[in-house]
């Protein structure tokens, strides 16, 4: 396909999608670096063995999967012209994102209750990695909530249509990325800690 063909709007949409894909690729490399460091560090003598992931981290997987489904339903509703369902699903996606963040902090509190902090005399390198990886992911979820909110506002303003959904698709792509990223990170941590 010749990427120089099409209207200015089509070319701009393709350019925005390509920039998002490059951004996602760089984020994948960052998390690959942290998970690689996690693996290398697991040979340390002070590495925790059989660390049990907090229950809220398990619940977070369900929250993220459901939030991806609600975003998919929102897009399908938009394409069918069902504004009410689109609005409801976007609001639900946003609320689920906030609930995910809340749930992560519940998980951190459970880790602290076990006697492990991020730094200091009660810290451990294993738990520090868990905090680091989870907090950086939380930041990306919060960043992902901004375009969800922007999409919701623009939808309420009637800015999207079947012919004009690039912004919607960009927000959806990033949201699915952070969802899949959490699933990967959780199971990576789970299997390497047990």
């Amino acid at each position: 396909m010749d990427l120089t063909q099409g209207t200015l709007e089509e070319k701009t949409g393709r350019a925005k999608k390509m920039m998002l894909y490059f951004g996602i690729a760089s984020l994948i490399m960052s998390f690959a670096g942290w998970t690689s460091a996690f693996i290398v560090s697991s040979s340390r003598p002070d590495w925790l063995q059989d660390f049990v992931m907090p229950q809220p981290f398990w619940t977070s997987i369900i929250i993220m999967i459901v939030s991806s489904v609600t975003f998919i339903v929102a897009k399908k509703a938009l394409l069918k012209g069902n504004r009410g369902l689109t609005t409801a699903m976007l609001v639900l996606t946003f609320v689920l994102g906030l609930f995910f963040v809340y749930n992560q902090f519940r998980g951190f509190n459970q880790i602290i209750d076990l006697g492990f902090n991020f730094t200091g005399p009660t810290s451990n390198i294993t738990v520090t990695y868990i905090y680091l990886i989870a907090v950086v992911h939380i930041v990306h979820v919060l960043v992902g909530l901004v375009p969800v909110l922007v999409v919701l506002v623009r939808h309420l303003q009637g800015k999207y249509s079947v012919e004009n959904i690039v912004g919607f698709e960009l927000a959806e792509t990033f949201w699915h990325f952070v969802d899949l990223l959490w699933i990967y990170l959780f199971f990576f941590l789970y299997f390497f800690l047990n």
Side-chain angles (χ1 to χ4, degrees):
M1 174 183 185
D2 185 358
L3 296 178
T4 62
Q5 291 183 345
T7 65
L8 179 60
E9 188 175 295
E10 290 171 335
K11 289 189 274 188
T12 301
R14 285 194 302 265
K16 288 178 180 178
K17 287 179 182 179
M18 188 59 65
M19 289 182 350
L20 176 63
Y21 298 148
F22 281 130
I24 287 173
S26 70
L27 291 174
I28 289 170
M29 294 303 294
S30 297
F31 280 96
W34 288 315
T35 54
S36 296
F38 184 95
I39 292 169
V40 170
S41 296
S42 67
S43 62
R44 292 172 50 129
D46 60 343
W47 194 258
L48 289 179
Q49 300 299 321
D50 299 323
F51 181 82
V52 177
M53 294 292 281
Q55 183 58 43
F57 285 9
W58 283 95
T59 307
S60 294
I61 292 175
I62 296 165
I63 294 167
M64 292 308 273
I65 291 170
V66 172
S67 74
S68 265
V69 171
T70 58
F71 217 138
I72 290 167
V73 172
K75 182 179 178 184
K76 288 185 179 195
L78 175 71
L79 294 174
K80 290 181 180 178
N82 188 337
R83 291 182 51 79
L85 182 58
T86 303
T87 302
M89 291 296 104
L90 287 173
V91 168
L92 186 53
T93 301
F94 187 80
V95 169
L96 286 167
L98 291 176
F99 187 52
F100 171 83
V101 173
Y102 165 76
N103 220 40
Q104 293 296 99
F105 283 103
R106 283 185 51 228
F108 293 154
N109 285 335
Q110 286 185 11
I111 293 172
I112 291 168
D113 289 344
L114 293 172
F116 299 109
N117 289 299
F118 179 67
T119 62
T122 59
S123 68
N124 174 280
I125 189 65
T126 311
V127 177
T128 300
Y129 271 113
I130 294 169
Y131 278 119
L132 171 71
I133 290 170
V135 167
V136 174
H137 182 261
I138 289 170
V139 169
H140 287 89
V141 170
L142 291 172
V143 167
L145 284 172
V146 172
V148 172
L149 189 58
V150 168
V151 163
L152 176 60
V153 169
R154 290 181 57 84
H155 167 67
L156 293 172
Q157 295 171 340
K159 304 272 181 165
Y160 295 115
S161 65
V162 174
E163 301 82 25
N164 180 24
I165 61 167
V166 172
F168 196 103
E169 291 176 332
L170 292 171
E172 181 188 28
T173 300
F174 188 75
W175 193 253
H176 293 321
F177 165 70
V178 295
D179 290 356
L180 291 172
L181 180 61
W182 175 248
I183 293 168
Y184 159 72
L185 292 172
F186 175 83
F187 284 111
F188 170 85
L189 293 171
Y190 176 78
F191 287 116
F192 275 94
L193 290 171
N194 289 316

